[in-house]
Amino acid sequence: MFSDHRYIAFETIVTREVRRFSRIWLQTLVPPAITIGLYFVIFGNLVGRRIGEMGGFQYMEFIIPGLIMMSVIQNSYSNVVSSFFSQKFQKTVEEMLVAPIPNYIILSGLVVGGMCRGLTVGAIVTLMSLLFTDLNIQHPILTFLIILLTSAVFSLAGFINAVFANSFDDISIIPTFVLTPLIYLGGVFYSVQLLPTFWQFVSGLNPIFYMVNAFRYGFLGASDVSVTWAFMILGIFTVGLYVGCIWLLRSGKGIRT
């Protein structure tokens, strides 16, 4: 349980983060929804008619969980990286660091703020998908846990990117050259069973591949990987990234100048 002043600090950070992205909703919420909507129309509807079934499901049904996961990953990550780097750039982060607030409260507030944006966009995309097909979630609790943990993992990853970024260009390098390729190669648009053995092995090295497939299992009840193994990977990444973020805050590396 948080003490009163720690809870107030946590609530203040979360409220600031939520107000930040909701105030500019035309830049933070609408563009990703439009982008995913185009995926639904082009890949799911037009291309999907020619593909037919994928993994025993209609192609639209198959790609919807992956597209929802993609939107959550990208927006959870981008919210934290842009928010924390902006505070570094404006020197306002120093005020928060010298305040009597534990590091875990600062980190938790930023991460929950990132999760709020990621899950909000994910909810919008889910509602949009109802325009194209019916959703029958087979395992709702598992689905919720997977999306929650995934959002937390990429919010933490966004914080690390923000710590080491030295310019606004630096906060776009990882999403462009690392995150986006991993997402597209994570089984969002195809089943790994279609790949040759070597590329199946390569896909197995991609952590996003496990997240997407576990989330798809929650929706459809079918997956290319073990859901237990996916939860283990998510747990390892969550704990590892959290410990790394706390260490960065304590050491001041990349933060204090």
Side-chain angles (χ1 to χ4, degrees), residues 37-216:
L38 291 173
Y39 281 121
F40 285 147
V41 172
I42 297 171
F43 287 95
N45 201 13
L46 301 179
V47 178
R49 289 177 183 174
R50 294 182 175 275
I51 294 176
E53 291 190 352
M54 179 74 69
F57 301 92
Q58 289 298 315
Y59 191 64
M60 177 66 82
E61 294 178 319
F62 182 85
I63 67 170
I64 280 176
L67 291 174
I68 295 171
M69 180 65 81
M70 180 169 71
S71 66
V72 170
I73 289 173
Q74 291 175 333
N75 285 275
S76 298
Y77 188 97
S78 63
N79 192 77
V80 178
V81 68
S82 60
S83 175
F84 193 73
F85 180 76
S86 294
Q87 293 176 59
K88 278 178 53 180
F89 182 78
Q90 297 166 0
K91 304 296 184 182
T92 57
V93 68
E94 297 171 1
E95 300 173 4
M96 186 165 54
L97 293 174
V98 299
I101 307 172
N103 290 326
Y104 73 88
I105 294 292
I106 296 173
L107 180 62
S108 298
L110 291 167
V111 168
V112 171
M115 292 172 66
C116 286
R117 176 174 165 184
L119 295 175
T120 298
V121 175
I124 293 171
V125 171
T126 302
L127 292 175
M128 288 179 59
S129 70
L130 295 175
L131 300 173
F132 299 92
T133 187
D134 294 328
L135 292 182
N136 296 307
I137 303 178
Q138 301 296 318
H139 307 283
I141 296 177
L142 183 145
T143 302
F144 178 73
L145 289 176
I146 287 288
I147 203 73
L148 204 65
L149 284 172
T150 301
S151 182
V153 164
F154 286 95
S155 293
L156 290 166
F159 177 83
I160 294 176
N161 188 176
V163 167
F164 288 102
N166 294 314
S167 68
F168 282 99
D169 289 336
D170 291 342
I171 68 175
S172 64
I173 291 175
I174 299 298
T176 301
F177 295 104
V178 178
L179 197 56
T180 298
L182 287 177
I183 291 172
Y184 280 100
L185 297 174
V188 172
F189 297 103
Y190 59 87
S191 170
V192 72
Q193 302 301 327
L194 299 176
L195 302 178
T197 303
F198 173 76
W199 290 108
Q200 289 187 29
F201 171 76
V202 172
S203 295
L205 302 178
N206 181 358
I208 294 178
F209 167 70
Y210 295 90
M211 301 172 194
V212 169
N213 272 275
F215 191 61
R216 181 173 288 128

